[in-house]
Amino acid sequence: MGSLAAQRRKRVRILLIAVLVAALGATGTVLAVTRPDLGLSADATTTATNPAPPPVLPTPQVAPVPDDAPMPTPAGLAAALAPGLANPDLGTFTGVVSDAATGAVLWSQGPDAPMVPASTTKVLTATAALLALGPEHRVATRVVRGETPGQIVLVGGGDPTMTAQPAGQPGFYPGAARLDDLAAQVRNSGVVVDSVVVDNGAYAGPALAQGWFPADVGAGYIAPMEPVMLDGGRLRPLEDESPRSATPALDTGRLLAAALGADPAAVTVGTAPSGAAPLASVESAPLRDRLGQMMGHSDNVLAEAVGREIAMKAGMEPSFGGAVAAISQTLVAGGFDVGGLTLHDASGLSVDDRIPARLLDRALTAAAGDSAPKLRPLLDYLPVAGATGTLSDRYASGDRNGAGWVRAKTGTLSAASALAGYVTDVGNRVLTFSLMSNDRPPQVSRPALDALASTLRSCGCQ
């Protein structure tokens, strides 16, 4: 013990000397000191260059909003929004603005009218997921023995984020499971693989939802919903809107077969034998990470997979119908009024979805308030205006008043655009909002919506 203490004291002395030397070097100070005790000349002098500048101290630039920040008045807010609301580019428009701290509605227009929500639907999917599933919830992809020697079965569990990128290279989704890990586990099991079967039984129902268009697969907006795929079914794994595969599960099985020396052309779809011996398993990133990816990129495939996770948790069929029923049921259990809600998917890609602006805003005020702490991460998942995700190219030029202040989920379809999120106004009051435009192309309506959110930032509105 004495020896160890001595070593620690020695290391501390060395560290202090090193810090002193570094500090002297940084200030540029040169000393010549008279030290008779060390035999220095009595006529030695002390000289110095310019004194060191004052130290630079950290100054926090991000601080909590004050509790006593003034709340905008409904009359002031209505007056500030009026010029923007007169813009015909908004088309058929509804909206709600609320005080985040109290939940009080400060302004609304048609709040209960069902509107085509586009990808703001993901706000409700994320809300239901946070209420129903733990933040550490993961999805497994497994390999088990098949019916014959040398046959293996790839069993999808509902994770679309797995990647087949080469070792050391990330796939589209950071932290995702890797196909090469599955292959390595199978090789280590000692099984010599001669055929691969893919089991898609974890999902039920059709692979495309009502209100989707088959052309959206090739356009890169969606893949057929199967419980195993690579990089969300992207044919170019690192591109967000890459064209998607029409057969994502078979593609995954074929790449696994190739990695194990089996014939990719012989991969088939089938069912794992009951009680089949496990050979390998990998897990997705935790839900908290996948929700951030879903919201930031407005990832439709990931949203549909999360919707099925909610359905499985609720004991419902893992299909489009089961997912939307589970989302609605979870919201009702969480105290939300779902009147006017009609969903056919969990992503908002369906042109037949309908959500009232009131419901989107209620989800956001719940996340911002103190009544539902499970929902607080929802605020962090929202893109930042002019900086991240689907808002990175908005507020980046022209009217930059909302840049860095507006955080919101976007929604875009051919005749619909929406924006739902929150903003801190110039008086340091946090406001939630849901702004929904229908019957206008997004290139027309989006600037008008952005202007309204920017007004909320600059208003104060006393």
Side-chain angles (χ1 to χ4, degrees), residues 31-57:
L31 300 177
V33 184
T34 300
R35 290 290 306 276
D37 57 314
L38 297 181
L40 297 180
S41 168
D43 60 358
T45 60
T46 300
T47 60
T49 62
N50 293 331
V56 177
L57 300 176

Side-chain angles (χ1 to χ4, degrees), residues 17-236:
I17 292 169
V19 170
L20 179 60
V21 170
L24 291 175
T27 61
T29 302
V30 180
L31 300 177
V33 184
T34 300
R35 290 290 306 276
D37 57 314
L38 297 181
L40 297 180
S41 168
D43 60 358
T45 60
T46 300
T47 60
T49 62
N50 293 331
V56 177
L57 300 176
T59 302
Q61 297 297 310
V62 178
V65 292
D67 293 335
D68 59 351
M71 183 192 305
T73 64
L77 190 58
L81 290 173
L85 293 171
N87 189 342
D89 290 346
L90 289 172
T92 302
F93 174 79
T94 67
V96 178
V97 178
S98 297
D99 177 61
T102 65
V105 175
L106 302 177
W107 171 88
S108 67
Q109 178 174 311
D112 297 313
M115 297 284 283
V116 179
S119 281
T120 55
T121 302
K122 295 181 179 72
V123 170
L124 300 188
T125 299
T127 298
L130 289 168
L131 290 173
L133 307 167
E136 298 300 320
H137 181 75
R138 299 171 187 259
V139 180
T141 303
R142 301 180 296 120
V143 176
V144 301
R145 290 184 181 272
E147 294 181 342
T148 60
Q151 184 184 82
I152 62 171
V153 183
L154 174 63
V155 183
D159 176 18
T161 68
M162 187 166 62
T163 187
Q165 287 292 98
Q169 296 186 25
F172 185 82
Y173 304 97
R178 304 188 67 86
L179 191 70
D180 56 10
D181 288 343
L182 271 182
Q185 292 177 47
V186 173
R187 283 192 293 269
N188 290 339
S189 74
V191 174
V192 178
V193 177
D194 58 27
S195 64
V196 176
V197 175
V198 179
D199 186 340
N200 284 328
Y203 285 177
L208 300 178
Q210 176 180 323
W212 289 7
F213 300 99
D216 287 339
V217 175
Y221 301 125
I222 197 63
M225 287 309 301
E226 297 177 339
V228 59
M229 61 179 79
L230 298 169
D231 296 298
R234 290 169 175 83
L235 297 179
R236 296 192 288 269

Side-chain angles (χ1 to χ4, degrees), residues 118-130 291 294-295 303 327 331 336 346-348 355 359-365 367 375 378 381-383 408-410 419-421 433-434:
S119 281
T120 55
T121 302
K122 295 181 179 72
V123 170
L124 300 188
T125 299
T127 298
L130 289 168
L291 287 181
M294 178 189 87
M295 297 289 276
I327 290 170
L331 292 174
F336 295 97
S347 63
I355 299 176
L359 179 54
L360 291 173
D361 184 69
R362 287 297 90 188
L364 291 161
T365 54
L375 297 181
L378 177 62
Y381 299 147
L382 297 172
K409 181 71 199 75
T410 58
L419 201 62
F433 60 86
S434 174

Side-chain angles (χ1 to χ4, degrees), residues 197-433:
V197 175
V198 179
D199 186 340
N200 284 328
Y203 285 177
L208 300 178
Q210 176 180 323
W212 289 7
F213 300 99
D216 287 339
V217 175
Y221 301 125
I222 197 63
M225 287 309 301
E226 297 177 339
V228 59
M229 61 179 79
L230 298 169
D231 296 298
R234 290 169 175 83
L235 297 179
R236 296 192 288 269
L238 301 183
E239 294 183 17
D240 189 359
E241 294 187 357
S242 160
R244 310 296 175 106
S245 168
T247 56
L250 274 175
D251 290 351
T252 307
R254 288 164 181 156
L255 283 174
L256 179 61
L260 294 171
D263 182 5
V267 174
T268 58
V269 174
T271 303
S274 178
L279 296 174
S281 179
V282 292
E283 289 189 329
S284 70
L287 178 71
R288 53 183 163 78
D289 294 344
R290 291 180 287 121
L291 287 181
Q293 295 159 2
M294 178 189 87
M295 297 289 276
H297 292 285
S298 199
D299 194 295
N300 295 321
V301 168
L302 196 46
E304 299 303 336
V306 170
R308 282 161 169 76
E309 291 176 51
I310 301 168
M312 293 177 191
K313 179 70 173 182
M316 296 184 177
E317 182 181 71
S319 62
F320 288 109
V324 300
I327 290 170
S328 179
Q329 175 180 286
T330 303
L331 292 174
V332 170
F336 295 97
D337 176 4
V338 298
L341 175 66
T342 301
L343 293 180
H344 296 280
D345 63 12
S347 63
L349 185 61
S350 174
V351 297
D352 296 330
D353 288 344
R354 297 292 185 273
I355 299 176
R358 163 190 49 77
L359 179 54
L360 291 173
D361 184 69
R362 287 297 90 188
L364 291 161
T365 54
D370 297 325
S371 62
K374 284 185 177 181
L375 297 181
R376 187 57 60 87
L378 177 62
L379 303 180
D380 294 329
Y381 299 147
L382 297 172
V384 180
T388 64
T390 55
L391 277 181
S392 60
D393 61 348
R394 293 165 69 167
Y395 301 92
S397 60
D399 178 8
R400 289 184 48 81
N401 192 51
W405 294 102
V406 172
R407 295 197 67 163
K409 181 71 199 75
T410 58
T412 303
L413 288 174
S414 59
S417 189
L419 201 62
Y422 71 98
V423 62
T424 303
D425 72 8
V426 292
N428 282 324
R429 195 77 180 190
V430 179
L431 307 176
T432 62
F433 60 86

